[in-house]
Amino acid sequence: MSFSESMTGMKRTHMCTALTEEHIDENVTIMGWVQKRRDLGGVIFLDVRDRTGLLQVVVDISSIGDEGFKKSEKIRTEFVIAVKGLVEKRTEETINTNLQTGTIEVRAMELRILSDAETPPFQIEENSSVREDLRLKYRYLDLRRPDLQKKLMLRSKLTEVVRSFMSEEGFVDLETPMLTKSTPEGARDYLVPSRVNPGNFYALPQSPQIFKQLLMLSGFDKYYQIVKCFRDEDLRADRQPEFTQIDIEMSFVDEDDVMNMNERLLAKMFKEVMDVDIALPIKRLTYQEAMDRFGSDKPDLRFGMELVNISDIVKDSDFKVFSGAVANGGSVRGINAKTCGDMPRRQIDALGEAAVSYGAKGMAWIAINEDGTYKSAITKFLSEEIVEAMVAALEGQPGDLLLFCADKNEVVYNTLGNLRLDIAKRLDLLKKDVFDFVWVTDFPLVEWNPEQKRYTAMHHMFTMPKEEDMELMTTDISKVRSRAYDICLNGNEIGGGSLRIHQREVQERVFEALGFSEEDAYDRFGFLLDAFRYGVPPHGGLAYGLDRIAMLMTGSDSIRDVIAFPKVKDASCPMTSAPGVVEEKQLEELAIRIDKIEL
Amino acid sequence: MSFSESMTGMKRTHMCTALTEEHIDENVTIMGWVQKRRDLGGVIFLDVRDRTGLLQVVVDISSIGDEGFKKSEKIRTEFVIAVKGLVEKRTEETINTNLQTGTIEVRAMELRILSDAETPPFQIEENSSVREDLRLKYRYLDLRRPDLQKKLMLRSKLTEVVRSFMSEEGFVDLETPMLTKSTPEGARDYLVPSRVNPGNFYALPQSPQIFKQLLMLSGFDKYYQIVKCFRDEDLRADRQPEFTQIDIEMSFVDEDDVMNMNERLLAKMFKEVMDVDIALPIKRLTYQEAMDRFGSDKPDLRFGMELVNISDIVKDSDFKVFSGAVANGGSVRGINAKTCGDMPRRQIDALGEAAVSYGAKGMAWIAINEDGTYKSAITKFLSEEIVEAMVAALEGQPGDLLLFCADKNEVVYNTLGNLRLDIAKRLDLLKKDVFDFVWVTDFPLVEWNPEQKRYTAMHHMFTMPKEEDMELMTTDISKVRSRAYDICLNGNEIGGGSLRIHQREVQERVFEALGFSEEDAYDRFGFLLDAFRYGVPPHGGLAYGLDRIAMLMTGSDSIRDVIAFPKVKDASCPMTSAPGVVEEKQLEELAIRIDKIEL
């Protein structure tokens, strides 16, 4: 049987850490959870916690009387209490410099137990090392951790800063539907069966893309929304079935207008939330440059170790692994892992295995000893001249480790791009307090989808092709570049956008190039193509992954840390155990049946 | 074949109505839609529209040259154009006082057609009288109407004001899940089949109720969120399957704390958005008082016409319709429709028919003629003394019409409450620019559900019973009052909330009283009851219907006017035609089948 007193007649006067030495001798009422209780016999010390921090309460029989003292003896960790008392200065020897309120304490005159508590399944403490599955089952307790609370409060502050900026810039906050139509392409939709129209389904939006374009067509000029989006995909560390986008769209703009506005937004976000100054303008790389130099379309610029193309150096060598790759239209490239020349052989082998996991057939390497000699399994296949040229190209110095990959370009990029990150991690170059932004532009309009044996949109189907590539649309669509741009931070794509197609013919041509029949395109997007008949302004926009930005700002390793109630790998919630079984009657109303029951 | 020029090399310098006489002789670039085009032969006038309003452009062959002029001859309504030109003062006789920019015009020096347009299916104009179904099919055109744009921009401003207030007051904006667990009670859930866990379903939230309570339990202290909620119910004028709530929860508070904070919020909302001053504190009525005086738990206080209980006057009369109702535990009550004494008989009969539609067996009435005599079908059954007492009780004056209803109390309340509104509407007492607020408190905890033959929660299952009624919980739950409160505006419930149960025993007792077995309650709310073991602060909150507030602020007749892309009666979207048929493969992945296909 639990025990709880009413708070009737009591009003909280202060949050715990609002009390300072200025309040000494004042009567105050504080309320919160008991973090710790120390019984010194005759005097009980209680550390009381609220969202602002801790405050020490002294319960002394001489101040509170017999009954109050007896009550306080029942108190355990995580009890919720209300304390009316007097703020007092601590004696020199009891001052706790680790505590914001460490120079004062509250002497209890009246104490109520508002709620008792069983011993929680784990202790409430910063940087808990408790298993995540247990913490997520008891998420309401996990969320009592001050570090987690701070992260969610930072996220709240972040959205506030975004909203105030967007409003100052004249953007209108407009809500778009959650119950909408299933879209082809992109990821898998979450579906919602309709009761009123049996056999029909809504889809939860993967993004408000079409709606925000229609709002531009309506003349709202500047739209933004912080909005939940949904993708029914298998989860990775930084993915959730539902996630939050900062969604932006503008009319009568070109790339520079969108990018400039967003740079101001990012600068404001990082200044006001993190007190970090971002140097503007943010660097820009084309997609091709990003791939050539960093092996990634979301390059991490916190460190160098850029890719170097040595194809010309090795293309005529007798080492077929190298010359063959070049001859087949691929390339040979390398990176210089500075100071890693003394890496033990088994660690180098581990890098080689990683390279294979990234798609390469293998990894070649040259370690430069301190005396300038080489350790390598490939130098013997190459002329001294070529080896020297390779080392020179990578600016190899004694103590460096040079890694090479020879294959089709996409394999080389992916392998070296990832090895670059692995080595940076090992060398501790990925500083969490450095925030390095870069725009990546000029993406290919389409990419080859080997499963579906057709081209699919790289950004999305509404992305405008570059004017100068328009002629390639019918001759070689794979070469068409788009007016898309991603904004990357420390190797993470935190946002992406594009100028949109605003001419119906161009939109139809893109549908066609992506293999949609006219009928198909109309079935799915008829209303958009119809809308395009009635006067469309040039427009473009961008969408940020809010969860990911909050994750990077808080230095978290997972977006789960910046989501109050996240899902786990199988898209379930360990706390509510959603998804769950529903009543037969509910399914009947929706006119659906579960397949496996039928089998 | 449509026609469109690129805007490359052009930058908009001003929105249309940003231009004033101060800009005369300046070179500007404006962009927008052509509202109207007048060709005066050699000179073409274009009214250009953007979200701020209209601006007149003059295209004169002498300024723009042959080619530019030819282009401008192609321009039709809703074309999107960009105009570079010179701001000029209009001559006295061409000044348009109806237009904000009516004293100036822009002389075009360069003109581009950014997008042509077919003739739209209806004209873009304020207060369109076009059929709503056509407007909703072409919602993107409907949304070009300045009145509709203003409404949505007001809504955006409203949320901005709410957010800034909540932040100042220390509330944390926390997102709760959209994919969650189906809840019993309340309305019907929208379900989302799980692919990873076949046969299992998420539900879209009807409200974040449980999550916000858990956030209080976690110690976030003050939570708010502006959040989409979902109910799969048949639609009425002011209902949508998805709607937006301003959701608020606070810890360590009582009713007054919650109500005071919300009064400040409402005052700020109406001041900053509408420039309307709300007199604080807002009036409070108990549920019983509201029913007795206004026949409604969401009373409209913009006018009087209060219900008067005349049961004592008529209980011993020979008129069985009256005395019988009182004898059966019901009552006889009346309202005075001032100045309606000369209402034609067929209109009075129509009121009687309305009364029947509200559940009454009939409606009695006395019209007081200007000479003080009565016109009535019931006075003959009543003594003169009783008739005089009835008239006196209702303060009847010559020219008044007195309406009476005799039945069970709930029927009398509902009938007279609705007749009161009907008459107020007829007398034009429902002024849209008057904003009259009232709190309704002390609701019954439960109400009898005749279908399910059991009590269901009137507010919701987490509502705290009044302390002084706690003993009735086991003896007569129908008499228990709750610590719930609704905030009403002009006869609309715009928000509601309560103090929540924070003791596990009380919560279990309520589940029991509502007919949940212990097992059942645990099945559904186990995680909440478990959470209650670990220290729960007293807490309470409130949720507003944002759509409804925006509707009332904008004087709209439907919430569809303040939603960018609303659904219609069958919960479908006429524009996207969602919900729609999906591919068989999608259903296979979800392991569900459509019933009707199986039949």
Side-chain angles (χ1 to χ4, degrees), chain A residues 162 164-171 212 221-224 246-251 253-269 280-282 284 439 485 487 540-544, chain B residues 11:
Chain A
V162 171
S164 108
F165 176 87
M166 297 310 284
S167 156
E168 277 164 29
E169 297 261 332
F171 285 79
K212 70 176 176 174
D221 209 86
K222 289 177 175 172
Y223 145 94
Y224 94 99
I246 306 171
D247 197 42
I248 297 171
E249 197 79 7
M250 307 162 76
S251 290
V253 290
D254 61 21
E255 293 88 337
D256 283 332
D257 296 319
V258 178
M259 289 157 95
N260 290 341
M261 192 286 292
N262 279 285
E263 293 189 1
R264 291 198 307 279
L265 169 60
L266 287 165
K268 173 128 174 172
M269 277 160 54
L280 300 188
I282 289 171
R284 297 186 187 184
W439 289 106
Y485 32 80
I487 177 76
L542 190 139
Y544 292 98
Chain B
K11 283 242 189 261

Side-chain angles (χ1 to χ4, degrees), chain B residues 279-329:
Chain B
L280 299 188
I282 289 171
K283 292 179 281 284
R284 297 186 187 186
L285 293 173
T286 65
Y287 171 84
Q288 197 53 55
E289 237 182 314
M291 298 307 284
D292 284 344
R293 290 175 53 191
F294 304 97
S296 168
D297 60 0
K298 43 182 184 182
D300 192 330
L301 301 194
R302 281 176 294 180
F303 62 101
M305 213 190 302
E306 295 190 15
L307 276 61
V308 177
N309 191 342
I310 57 161
S311 301
D312 281 348
I313 297 171
V314 300
K315 68 175 190 290
D316 300 322
S317 84
D318 294 334
F319 187 41
K320 290 296 168 210
V321 175
F322 282 6
S323 55
V326 181
N328 288 328

